[in-house]
Structure formats: C-alpha cells, structure tokens
Amino acid sequence: MRVLVTGGSGFIGANVAQQLKKEGYDVRIFDMALPIGLKDVEFYHGSLLDPTALRFAMSGCDYVMHLAAMADVNDVVADPIYAEEINARGTALVLDAARRSKIKRVVYASTIWTYSDVKEEAITEETLIPPPTHLYTATKLAGEHYCRAFNGLYNLPYTILRYGIPYGPRARGATVISKFVDMALNNQPITIQGDGAQFRKFVHVEDLARGNVLALKAEGENQIYNLEGNEKVSIKQLAELVKEHANPDLEITFIPARAGDLKGAEISNKKALQQLGWKPEIDFLTGLKQVIAEKKMEKQNDPTRVAVAA
C-alpha cells in the first residue's frame, strides 16, 4: 500500500511519514520543501494549488494523508487570502484529485481550534460547532465540510483528525513550547498572552503520527476523531516548567491575549480509543525534557542561534 503525505516534509508530516514506513507502508511525500532526515521515501515537488501536480503525485497511491496547510495562526492573520487559498481551496483541490485518482480514502488533518467558539466545557466530536470568528478556524472547518461534500457527491471516503496542540523535536519555532524553550535558552523573558490560565492538553508528535496510521483502519472510514492529549497544562504552568528545567533565572512576563485564542476546554479523545485503539503514550514532562535537550544541543552547535519571534 502506498500513501501520499501532503506536507510530508513538515514537523508533523515527517513524523507521519516515518510512522507509515515503520508500519510497512510505501510513502510518497508531496511538498514544496525537500524532506530532511527521511529515508526510503519518494518525493514529489509541487503546490497544493496545482491540480496537475496533485494528480501526478497521487498516481499509484492508495491513500492520501492531507497535512499540508498554513498552520501558524499569526501567518494566517498576516496573509488571510493566501491562508484561505492553501487551507480551503488547497483541500478542495486535493479531494478533487483524489476522487479522480480513485484514492481509497483521504485522511484530513484538522485541529481542535475548530472548537474555539464552542461554549460547552465538555466537548466531543458530536458537539455542534458555531460559525467561526477566526479565519484559521474557518479555513480548517471549510476543509472538513469539503471532505463530507466530496463523500456525499462522489463517494470519496474520508477520515478527519482534529489534532491537539502538537509538540516534540523539530517543531516549528513559533509553536508555544518551542518558542518558550528558545526564549529560556537565550535568556529572554517568556511572554504569556493573557493571564496564562488558558490551558492545553498538548499531544506529542509521535502520538499524532500513530493516530494517523491507526486512522486507516476500516473503523475510521467517514469518521471524525479528536487526537487530544490527556494532561491539562496551563500556559503559566508551561512557562514555570520551562523555567525549572531550562533556565531557573528566567523572567516571565504577560501581554494582552490575542483574538480567537483557544481558552481551553475538556475535549474528549475517547472515541479514538474506543474505535482505533489510540491514546497518548508520551507523558508531557518527558516530552518537554526531550524538546529542551534537543534545543540545548542545537544551541551548543550554533551559539549564535536566537529565538524565533511569533
């Protein structure tokens, strides 16, 4: 079985590709950037907005895992039109190429940010989602609706995975954990947006990768799953843990909250456990220490390295 991974050169995509290889799948990556550190995978260069390139990349594939997206909320705010093109229209083009290429199923990487405007404190995949107030949320929900529409119109099977907040080695510098650790190791104050009470249940990228592979089970067809972590960690607690394990002299400061931020809710991951046998296996502190160790090594190899602003 051959699986095409769009965005397979990225943080999550590369881990998904590695997990697929581990499970015996042939892997082909479709991306604008070359994959780094991946062995025995095919690479097709191209844009999500190029239907011909997508059809060519899907030739001979059985499944598509669609992870390519503009995932940084700050980038979305800075360039909303391009974000809409990549996240919404790009997904529609992937689905259209998939149905023309007779792909058996498309696994779509969505996000728990889709719940940003939900008022309920306990959330499952069946929770009704109100109209979004943030463009990023709107573009990801558009992709979900396209998955359902292509299934209804063309009988193209799908699985939607709503990722929790990912972390782990090689994460984007603008993700909150990477950013905080970078600041700590560069003796810069950690900056918290809001009062820090908002919480996350972070999920390690290797756990997300396992979830993607398990989603290919027959039970996953035309289903939605929350791949959410188990441990509740507030942003203030995260800053304090980074201070404790990376730089005890670190200063922690606060700035106003950003618009559309996910305040934190109890998002259930029980459906993924019951139907796919998936649950997070890497505890948060172990994963955080892993990130700190990696970044310390990077800094030793490049003493001029500075934190990435976001």
Side-chain angles (χ1 to χ4, degrees), residues 91 95 108 142-152 156 158 160:
T91 298
L95 292 165
Y108 172 61
E144 292 193 11
H145 291 310
Y146 292 159
C147 287
R148 296 188 189 93
F150 271 79
N151 176 254
L156 175 65
Y158 67 86
I160 295 169

Side-chain angles (χ1 to χ4, degrees), residues 13-28:
N15 280 275
V16 169
Q18 287 178 332
Q19 187 66 28
L20 285 165
K21 289 294 296 182
K22 181 179 177 181
E23 297 293 333
Y25 291 91
D26 294 324
V27 177
R28 180 180 295 168

Side-chain angles (χ1 to χ4, degrees), residues 61-75:
C61 291
D62 299 285
Y63 300 97
V64 172
M65 291 197 171
H66 178 38
L67 279 73
M70 184 181 284
D72 190 311
V73 175
N74 295 303
D75 290 342

